[in-house]
């Protein structure tokens, strides 16, 4: 059995990380026998990031490497699609992972309203006397990373100018089909659904949450995607 080392659930998501949810979905789509192993920190994972997949051949880091591993074992995340569709799918994954998901991180960690609700969810396992100290260290690291990337240096209006074209692209792709490339889920849906779901589920009324919630096409897609793709277990069920 394969074991996915993943951050725990939170905010009505199977994991707090969209990359962990992506790997969960792809493991289900691949038909592999797998189980989750929850971790609150990535300290023991290769390259210090989650998700990571424990396999008979060793531990594989990163959702992209996990996808490649599953494909080598026979999984097809573009069933029935052309080589051109696969190129588009690859580009969509890069857009979502390297651009749109940054908005999730920014608003969760740097918007004070979201941050107040994130701390007990993401750091609830830490004893309360130490929780603010540890949480603020991690928050500072996230802020520094987003400043280096540039997103945290922008005004809210500038951030929306960056992400609105991404949302428009996804909306346009969905006008005539149920999922991004077809009427069935494919690889880009495995990351688009969790990222959009997490944006719509931000715990405060930010500009991008309003943009996603106000888009009927995207909200319908999130609902279909969660119903079709999200793993059926929860942390409590897995532990039972």
């Amino acid at each position: 059995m394969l074991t996915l080392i993943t951050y725990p659930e939170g905010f009505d998501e199977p994991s707090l990380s969209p990359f962990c949810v992506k790997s969960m979905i792809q493991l289900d789509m691949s038909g592999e026998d797998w189980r989750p192993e929850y971790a609150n920190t990535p300290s023991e994972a290769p390259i210090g990031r989650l998700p990571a997949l424990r396999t008979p051949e060793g531990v594989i880091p990163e959702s992209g490497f996990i996808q490649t591993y599953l494909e080598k074992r026979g999984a097809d995340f573009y069933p029935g699609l052309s080589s051109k569709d696969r190129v588009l799918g690859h580009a969509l994954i890069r857009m979502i992972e390297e651009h749109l998901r940054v908005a999730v991180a920014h608003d969760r960690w740097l918007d004070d309203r979201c941050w107040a609700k994130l701390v007990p969810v993401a750091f609830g396992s830490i004893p309360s006397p130490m929780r603010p100290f540890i949480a603020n260290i991690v928050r500072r690291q996230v802020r520094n990373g987003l400043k280096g990337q540039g997103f945290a240096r922008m005004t809210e209006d500038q951030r929306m100018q960056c992400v609105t074209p991404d949302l428009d692209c996804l909306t346009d792709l969905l006008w005539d089909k149920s999922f991004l490339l077809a009427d069935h889920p494919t690889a880009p849906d495995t990351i688009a659904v969790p990222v959009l779901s997490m944006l719509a589920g931000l715990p405060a009324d930010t500009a991008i949450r309003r943009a996603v919630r106000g888009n009927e096409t995207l909200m319908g897609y999130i609902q279909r995607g969660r119903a079709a793709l999200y793993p059926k277990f929860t942390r409590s069920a897995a532990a039972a």
Side-chain angles (χ1 to χ4, degrees):
M1 178 183 290
L2 304 177
T3 299
L4 185 71
I5 309 168
T6 172
Y7 290 112
E9 63 193 20
F11 297 134
D12 196 32
E13 299 289 339
S15 170
L16 287 170
S17 163
F19 296 102
C20 291
V21 179
K22 171 190 172 185
S23 290
M24 291 177 176
I25 292 170
Q26 291 189 350
L27 282 161
D28 274 356
M29 289 175 69
S30 72
E32 295 279 357
D33 188 17
W34 71 282
R35 67 179 183 88
E37 178 182 305
Y38 295 100
N40 291 304
T41 70
S43 58
E44 296 183 7
I47 71 173
R49 299 180 67 176
L50 295 179
L53 186 66
R54 186 176 293 118
T55 77
E57 297 85 6
V59 179
I60 300 172
E62 291 279 353
S63 65
F65 296 148
I66 293 171
Q67 178 177 334
T68 299
Y69 172 81
L70 296 174
E71 288 171 334
K72 288 180 178 178
R73 289 168 64 92
D76 182 2
F77 298 116
Y78 294 94
L81 299 187
S82 67
S83 296
K84 184 176 180 180
D85 290 327
R86 291 170 182 263
V87 170
L88 175 57
H90 179 79
L92 286 170
I93 290 169
R94 287 293 179 264
M95 179 187 80
I96 296 163
E97 291 187 345
E98 303 300 332
H99 202 225
L100 193 56
R101 68 89 188 169
V102 175
V104 178
H106 178 276
D107 282 15
R108 275 185 178 176
W109 290 83
L110 301 189
D111 185 292
D112 288 338
R113 299 165 298 170
C114 291
W115 172 247
K117 295 181 179 180
L118 177 66
V119 170
V121 174
F123 300 94
S125 64
I126 298 174
S128 55
M130 290 293 294
R131 190 177 304 150
F133 176 73
I134 299 298
N136 282 316
I137 289 176
V138 180
R139 190 188 197 194
R140 191 177 307 118
Q141 292 172 342
V142 173
R143 179 183 286 112
N144 290 340
L146 291 174
K147 281 186 175 181
Q149 189 267 354
F151 204 70
R153 299 179 184 272
M154 300 176 187
T155 65
E156 185 173 67
D157 181 63
Q158 289 170 331
R159 291 193 296 272
M160 288 305 299
Q161 288 183 52
C162 287
V163 300
T164 297
D166 299 343
L167 299 178
D168 289 345
C169 286
L170 299 178
T171 302
D172 289 346
L173 283 171
L174 291 164
W175 78 271
D176 63 345
K177 50 191 173 297
S178 297
F179 293 91
L180 291 176
L181 299 181
D183 282 325
H184 57 268
T186 61
D189 298 299
T190 65
I191 187 63
V193 171
V195 166
L196 290 172
S197 180
M198 290 179 190
L199 288 172
L202 284 166
D205 185 32
T206 68
I208 193 165
R209 189 182 85 163
R210 290 193 298 272
V212 175
R213 289 190 176 190
N215 186 317
E216 292 183 6
T217 298
L218 293 181
M219 291 303 294
Y221 171 67
I222 293 168
Q223 184 177 15
R224 288 192 302 277
R226 286 176 62 101
L229 295 173
Y230 267 32
K232 302 303 185 287
F233 63 80
T234 63
R235 185 178 189 180
S236 56

